[in-house]
Amino acid sequence: MKKILVANRGEIAIRVMQTVKKMGIKTVAVYSTVDRNAPHVKFADEAVCIGEAPSNESYLRADKIIEVAKKLHVDGIHPGYGFLSENADFAELTEQNNIIFIGPGSEAIKIMGSKLAAKDAVKAYNIPMVPGVDKAITDVNKATRIAKDIGFPILIKASAGGGGKGMRIVEKESDLESQMQRAISEATSAFGDGSVFIEKYVTSPRHIEIQVMADKHGNILHFFERECSIQRRHQKVVEEAPSSVLSPALRAKMGEAAVKVAKSCNYVGAGTVEFLIDADHNFYFLEMNTRLQVEHPVTELITGVDLVELQIRVARGEKLQIRQEDLSIKGHALELRVYAEDPVNDFLPSVGKLSTYKIPVGSGIRVDNGFEEGMDIPIYYDPMISKLITYGKTREEAILLMIKAIEDYQIEGVQTTLAFGKFVCEHEAFRSGNFDTHFVKKYFSPKALHQKSEYEAEIAALIALKQYLSDQKLLRLPN
């Protein structure tokens, strides 16, 4: 491959292009009119505008992206994550035009894109799954019978879903009908597919995912786990690797299960197998994400592997040169997704101009960034500004460095999740490792954040007063 087009924007476009350039390959960026002066456009060797600001007129226009790729004699397309990254038709269209899609084949994307098809595919491999029904259901009476069978609480999930859409927790029978209609309606609106299914709701769950990489020669590796339990609205905000709850034996068992999931759909490239772990450390298969994950940097830091480079090597037909026994965990890494969201106002998007924007620097600090000072946060896309990642020899070191990095990160003009990230890192439940996916519900509130800010301001004022009195004393000392 001599030239790769990155069909994405922001921090992930830059992060992919950094590796592409390191490999001596030319880069092509695509952009919408609102992103004309964005950093990813400036970073690329070539850049082409593909449409207006709304993503359905630009970054989701597969036809325009292919047109640009052919015109500029591109050899491969890297989709990043989001947008067209898990679109089987786009993967197929890319291959039909003799361009390498840097991701899995369209068939694997189709299978794993449907939670029901995914469950069906992995059945033969005896991978543990949450008790429930593995067929789409719309009949409320039938749903009630199933729910009574497996026992409340239950979880209604959209088959084509993700990001918490089309998902409802039902605690009692009387709520089932209304919650089911809502889930179907939301799934239809978000994915054009109203299929939902029912499974047992795992109380006190941890969300653990395993990174896998598979080549075209039948080799599949796992790169250990990521802990993704700190979430708001079923979406991750803080991730870390490794998890504080996995024993070496459980880690090996889950890694083997993840490799089997990849085998079940003849997977090629980077993928993530997601699991739930209950309070007794039993694990259950959730789904597979057929792309690079937002949180991939924490895996790169603990394994010393560039996952994007491996994606590209695998896509061009190379055999994986690493063996499973070559891989080991070194140190600990933490990632905070820095969103332009207001934690005090239910994490709603906060758009505006970045009047001040200075990122933290230093040993053990990595910022995958897509913005510059003076830029506006567009309303058209996901409000993630950057990813702040810290690495230490121990979990405690990574956490302390994250707190310092958050304090050094200067952003004015919009509200962000920085204060929330600090709240998490300083909370006893997180520090002790004794938390689950209900962390936000259990411990976080706007009031708690306000109280913390007031306490910190009080401490700062006392320190300043002490320093002032000390200075005055020195000034009054006789010569």
Side-chain angles (χ1 to χ4, degrees), residues 32-51:
S32 69
T33 49
V34 77
D35 279 340
R36 189 175 300 279
N37 298 310
H40 81 277
V41 175
K42 298 173 194 170
F43 191 81
D45 295 309
E46 295 174 85
V48 180
C49 182
I50 50 167

Side-chain angles (χ1 to χ4, degrees), residues 296-308:
H296 75 274
V298 293
T299 298
E300 293 185 323
L301 288 171
I302 65 158
T303 59
V305 171
D306 183 331
L307 291 171
V308 175

Side-chain angles (χ1 to χ4, degrees), residues 390-408:
T390 57
Y391 174 79
K393 292 191 287 292
T394 63
R395 184 172 187 262
E396 182 64 19
E397 195 179 304
I399 290 171
L400 290 172
L401 189 54
M402 177 61 79
I403 293 166
K404 184 185 182 303
I406 289 169
E407 288 169 349
D408 290 347

Side-chain angles (χ1 to χ4, degrees), residues 206 230 240 244 395-396 399 403 421-436 439 443-444 452:
R206 305 273 293 224
I230 306 291
E240 62 179 311
S244 58
R395 184 172 187 262
E396 182 64 19
I399 290 171
I403 293 166
K422 191 177 178 195
F423 175 89
V424 171
C425 288
E426 291 181 341
H427 199 282
E428 179 50 34
F430 183 74
R431 297 290 277 266
S432 67
N434 185 24
F435 62 93
D436 56 33
F439 178 93
Y443 306 114
F444 180 75
K452 197 168 178 309

Side-chain angles (χ1 to χ4, degrees), residues 292-352:
L292 194 68
Q293 292 277 88
V294 175
E295 56 274 17
H296 75 274
V298 293
T299 298
E300 293 185 323
L301 288 171
I302 65 158
T303 59
V305 171
D306 183 331
L307 291 171
V308 175
E309 183 176 338
L310 284 186
Q311 275 189 298
I312 293 165
R313 292 191 180 283
V314 160
R316 63 190 187 192
E318 292 181 31
K319 204 181 249 191
L320 284 165
Q321 297 301 305
I322 315 165
R323 294 169 305 169
Q324 191 63 56
E325 53 268 32
D326 297 331
L327 292 164
S328 62
I329 296 169
K330 293 181 184 74
H332 199 97
L334 207 62
E335 175 179 298
L336 168 66
R337 300 188 188 191
V338 184
Y339 285 108
E341 291 180 346
D342 187 356
V344 173
N345 191 17
D346 198 29
F347 292 94
L348 289 175
S350 171
V351 295

